[in-house]
Amino acid sequence: MTIDPRDVPYWVRPFFMPRLRQGCSAVTVTDSAFAKNVSAVRDRVSNGPSASHRPLSTRRRLAMLALSIGGFGIGTTEFASMGLLPDVAQTMGISEPSAGHMISAYALGVVVGAPAIATLAARVPRRALLIVLMVAFTLGNLGTVFAPSFGELVASRFVAGLPHGAYFGIAALVAAHLAEPGKRAKAVAMVMMGLSIANVVGVPIATWLGQALGWRSAFAVVAVIGALTVAALIVWMPRLDGMPTTNPITELGALRRGQVWMTLFVGMVGFGGMFAVYTYIASTLTDVAGLARALVPVALMIYGLGMVAGNYVGGWLADRYQLRGTFVGLASMAAFLAMFVIAAHNPVSALILVFLIGASGSSVIPGLQTRLMDVADDAQTLAASLNHAAFNLANAIGAALGGAVIAAGFGYTAPAAVGAVLAVAGLAVLSTAMWMQRRADANAAGHRSTSRPSAEIEVMPRMSSDSTHNLDFGECV
C-alpha cells in the first residue's frame, strides 16, 4: 500500500517531514507482517483519529469548555481595560492618554509573548504548557490588582499579555486534535467562543463592577476566572499524549513559509478595518447616531452577540469551504463597514450594522486559524500563536488610522470608510494567497504525475496498534 505524505492531515504530518525533505513522494509498505497495523495507520492518516483513539465525548466537551473559559478571561481583561481607563487615570493621578499606556503594554506583551513562548516552549507537552500559561495570566492580573504605582501597573499588564497569543494558538491546536473528523474549524471556533462571549457578558459586568467598586475589582474577577481555568484544565484536559512536540528550530521554520506570512497579513490588514470602527464606536453612536450614552453598553453587547454568531458560522464555513468561506466573511465585513458610513446616522440602522460588523469580522477567525495550522506543516504552534499577535497589530493599525482621520476633521464615520479600505486590502492579500496556493498545487500535481517509481521508499514499520509515534521509515531508494 502507498501513502502520499503530502496529503496527510496536519496532526500527523511531522512524522513524515524527514522523508518530504529527502524528496520522497510516497511511502510504500511491503512487510505483510505489519499489514494490519499499517492499514490502521493509513485510516487515521486519511480520516483523522478514530473514536476509539479519542477521549470520551463528554471529556472532549469538558476539555473544550476549559479552553473556552480561558478565552473568556483573556477577552474580558483585554477589552474591559478600555472602559476603565478614566477610573485608572483618576486613581493614579494621571491623564487618560497616559493611562492608555496600560493598553499598549498588554498589546506589546501579546506581540512579544506569542512568538517567544511558542518557540522556546516547543518541547513542552501541550497540556502542561496550557496550564503554565494560564497560571502566568492569573499572576499578571493579580499583579494589576495590587500594583502600588502606575509603573508596576504597566509592567503587570505586559506580563498578563505575554500568554495571550500562545494560549489561543495552542488551544486551537488542541481543539483541532480533539475534534471529530471534518470538524476542525468548528472546534477552533468553540474555543474562540469564549473570547466572543466575553464581549457580551464579561466586559459589561467587569466594567460595571470596576466603576462601582473600583477598577481593581474588575481585574480581581479576571484573576478568579484565570484560577478557575487552571483548575478546569487540570481536571478536564486529557493527557494529549498523541500531540507531537517539536523544537525551537523547527518552529522557527514557519517564518520561511510564504503562505504563513500571507495568512498573517490577511489578519493584520483586514482586521484593522474592524478595529478602526470598534475603537471609536461609543463616540460614533452617541455623536452621530444620537444614541443615549446609557445605551452604549447595550450596543457593545449587540456587537458581542454578532461575534458569537459569526464565530459559529465561520467555523462551519471554514470546514465546508476552506479559504472560500474566509473570503466570503472578509468580503462581507468590507461591505458592512462601507454601509456603516451611511447607517451610522440612524440609531436603529447603526445597531444593525454593529451586529453585522461583529458577525462578519468574527467569522474570519476560525478560517485563518486553521489555515495557519495547515500551511505551517511541522511548525504549527508558532504559526497559530502568531495569528493573535497579528490581530493585536491590526488593533493598533486600525485604531491609529481611525484616530488620524478623526483628528483630520473627517468625523466619526470616517473610521468606517478607512475600515472598508483595509478590509478590501485584506481581500487582495487573501486573493493573492489563494492564487499562489492554486499555482503551487498545480505544480505539485504535475511533479507527482511525472515522478519515477524510484521516488518511492520502502518502509519497515515498527508500530503499536494505537499510536503513530513508533513509525520508523526506511531510506529512499
Side-chain angles (χ1 to χ4, degrees):
M1 68 179 63
T2 301
I3 297 174
D4 187 339
R6 287 163 295 194
D7 293 335
V8 300
Y10 84 96
W11 58 271
V12 79
R13 195 171 297 161
F15 299 109
F16 290 85
M17 289 309 295
R19 292 302 174 241
L20 278 173
R21 294 191 185 101
Q22 293 180 15
C24 300
S25 62
V27 175
T28 301
V29 179
T30 59
D31 195 320
S32 59
F34 297 99
K36 183 177 179 180
N37 285 336
V38 172
S39 179
V41 170
R42 190 177 188 184
D43 289 341
R44 288 199 295 272
V45 168
S46 300
N47 304 314
S50 63
S52 62
H53 294 276
R54 295 179 180 280
L56 294 176
S57 178
T58 300
R59 184 72 178 274
R60 289 204 307 273
R61 286 196 292 267
L62 290 174
M64 298 283 193
L65 177 60
L67 296 173
S68 296
I69 294 173
F72 178 82
I74 292 175
T76 300
T77 196
E78 181 179 18
F79 292 104
S81 301
M82 301 175 186
L84 294 172
L85 282 183
D87 303 271
V88 173
Q90 183 178 4
T91 301
M92 293 293 179
I94 57 178
S95 66
E96 190 170 336
S98 296
H101 292 318
M102 65 181 284
I103 307 294
S104 301
Y106 185 91
L108 181 62
V110 178
V111 174
V112 171
I117 295 173
T119 302
L120 297 177
R123 297 184 185 274
V124 180
R126 307 295 90 171
R127 180 179 183 272
L129 184 54
L130 283 170
I131 294 172
V132 169
L133 290 173
M134 284 313 300
V135 169
F137 173 77
T138 303
L139 293 176
N141 281 279
L142 281 176
T144 302
V145 174
F146 297 107
S149 67
F150 187 66
E152 282 84 355
L153 174 62
V154 170
S156 70
R157 297 316 295 156
F158 177 79
V159 172
L162 286 173
H164 178 129
Y167 176 84
F168 276 122
I170 295 167
L173 292 174
V174 170
H177 175 76
L178 296 175
E180 298 175 5
K183 295 184 178 180
R184 283 192 311 141
K186 185 177 180 180
V188 172
M190 291 302 101
V191 172
M192 301 302 167
M193 192 68 75
L195 183 63
S196 300
I197 294 176
N199 284 276
V200 180
V201 180
V203 174
I205 291 178
T207 302
W208 172 82
L209 192 64
Q211 292 173 345
L213 302 179
W215 59 267
R216 296 180 190 271
S217 63
F219 295 101
V221 170
V222 173
V224 171
I225 297 173
L228 290 175
T229 303
V230 172
L233 290 172
I234 292 174
V235 175
W236 293 336
M237 185 61 63
R239 290 176 56 86
L240 303 174
D241 292 333
M243 288 195 70
T245 55
T246 57
N247 58 72
I249 300 301
T250 299
E251 290 296 336
L252 289 172
L255 302 180
R256 298 195 300 266
R257 298 182 174 94
Q259 283 293 337
V260 170
W261 284 107
M262 294 296 287
T263 306
L264 291 174
F265 283 140
V266 172
M268 191 185 309
V269 177
F271 259 75
M274 187 179 73
F275 285 117
V277 171
Y278 184 81
T279 304
Y280 306 98
I281 192 65
S283 297
T284 303
L285 292 175
T286 55
D287 295 359
V288 180
L291 195 71
R293 186 164 295 274
L295 294 178
V296 170
V298 176
L300 296 179
M301 290 180 66
I302 292 174
Y303 178 86
L305 288 171
M307 289 188 67
V308 171
N311 218 355
Y312 184 84
V313 173
W316 180 84
L317 284 172
D319 278 329
R320 190 174 181 86
Y321 300 108
Q322 290 80 45
L323 277 184
R324 289 175 295 171
T326 305
F327 188 93
V328 169
L330 196 55
S332 299
M333 183 171 68
F336 293 144
L337 286 168
M339 293 168 61
F340 188 71
V341 176
I342 304 300
H345 293 276
N346 179 275
V348 175
S349 59
L351 291 177
I352 293 174
L353 264 297
V354 163
F355 176 87
L356 293 175
I357 290 172
S360 57
S362 184
S363 71
V364 179
I365 296 177
L368 291 180
Q369 193 74 65
T370 53
R371 173 65 177 171
L372 281 169
M373 290 154 53
D374 287 336
V375 299
D377 287 334
D378 53 349
Q380 295 143 18
T381 303
L382 177 59
S385 300
L386 283 174
N387 197 32
H388 295 273
F391 288 158
N392 274 267
L393 288 174
N395 192 345
I397 293 171
L401 292 178
V405 293
I406 292 173
F410 291 102
Y412 281 106
T413 60
V418 171
V421 173
L422 288 174
V424 170
L427 276 174
V429 177
L430 180 59
S431 299
T432 303
M434 294 170 70
W435 174 79
M436 291 170 60
Q437 185 65 58
R438 285 195 298 269
R439 185 176 179 181
D441 290 344
N443 291 337
H447 173 74
R448 279 201 289 266
S449 65
T450 58
S451 62
R452 296 176 298 173
S454 60
E456 296 187 353
I457 63 174
E458 299 255 336
V459 177
M460 297 294 291
R462 294 189 295 271
M463 63 190 73
S464 65
S465 60
D466 60 353
S467 174
T468 58
H469 279 292
N470 299 324
L471 280 174
D472 184 21
F473 297 103
E475 297 298 325
C476 289
V477 295

